[in-house]
Amino acid sequence: MEKKFTEGEWIIDKKRDTVCIDILCNDEVVATCWDDYDCVDQLRANAKLIAAAPDLLHRLNSIVLSVKAHPDYVNGQECDEWHDIVELAEKAINKATE
């Protein structure tokens, strides 16, 4: 998986929490969530999700690789459900990285 996003821990800038929340990585703004004063809770939730995205992507990719390395998956033994789950996870990874 080629990384096209800024590597490092993404954090929410706690200094600004009204109509603009910055997400930082290595002290640089990598994303900004804008909203109006009526949706501050939604704005904070969106910022948390965006800040967690790189870690979520990494963890999902690790899970897919682990499942695909399992002998039952490789040999196709009673794994139709897992093949479907892996396919859905890979679609989500591709959506995030294309």
Side-chain angles (χ1 to χ4, degrees), residues 20-36:
C20 172
I21 295 178
D22 290 332
I23 293 116
L24 306 173
C25 181
N26 305 322
D27 294 324
E28 292 184 30
V29 176
V30 294
T32 300
C33 295
W34 291 91
D35 215 326
D36 59 39

Side-chain angles (χ1 to χ4, degrees), residues 61-91 93:
N61 195 52
S62 296
I63 290 168
V64 167
L65 293 174
S66 294
V67 170
K68 288 174 91 171
H70 193 279
D72 287 345
Y73 184 91
V74 172
N75 297 326
Q77 297 173 351
E78 302 177 24
C79 285
D80 287 341
E81 179 183 348
W82 285 106
H83 283 272
D84 293 342
I85 291 169
V86 166
E87 182 180 337
L88 290 172
E90 289 177 329
K91 284 181 182 178
I93 290 167

Side-chain angles (χ1 to χ4, degrees), residues 2-61:
E2 178 186 342
K3 294 183 181 177
K4 297 179 183 177
F5 55 86
T6 305
E7 292 191 55
E9 181 183 3
W10 288 22
I11 59 170
I12 296 170
D13 184 356
K14 302 281 186 187
K15 293 179 269 184
R16 293 175 21 175
D17 61 355
T18 53
V19 295
C20 172
I21 295 178
D22 290 332
I23 293 116
L24 306 173
C25 181
N26 305 322
D27 294 324
E28 292 184 30
V29 176
V30 294
T32 300
C33 295
W34 291 91
D35 215 326
D36 59 39
Y37 286 102
D38 296 331
C39 299
V40 173
D41 289 340
Q42 183 179 7
L43 173 63
R44 289 182 183 145
N46 290 343
K48 287 179 182 179
L49 181 59
I50 293 167
D55 189 46
L56 292 169
L57 179 61
H58 173 75
R59 302 290 179 215
L60 181 58
N61 195 52

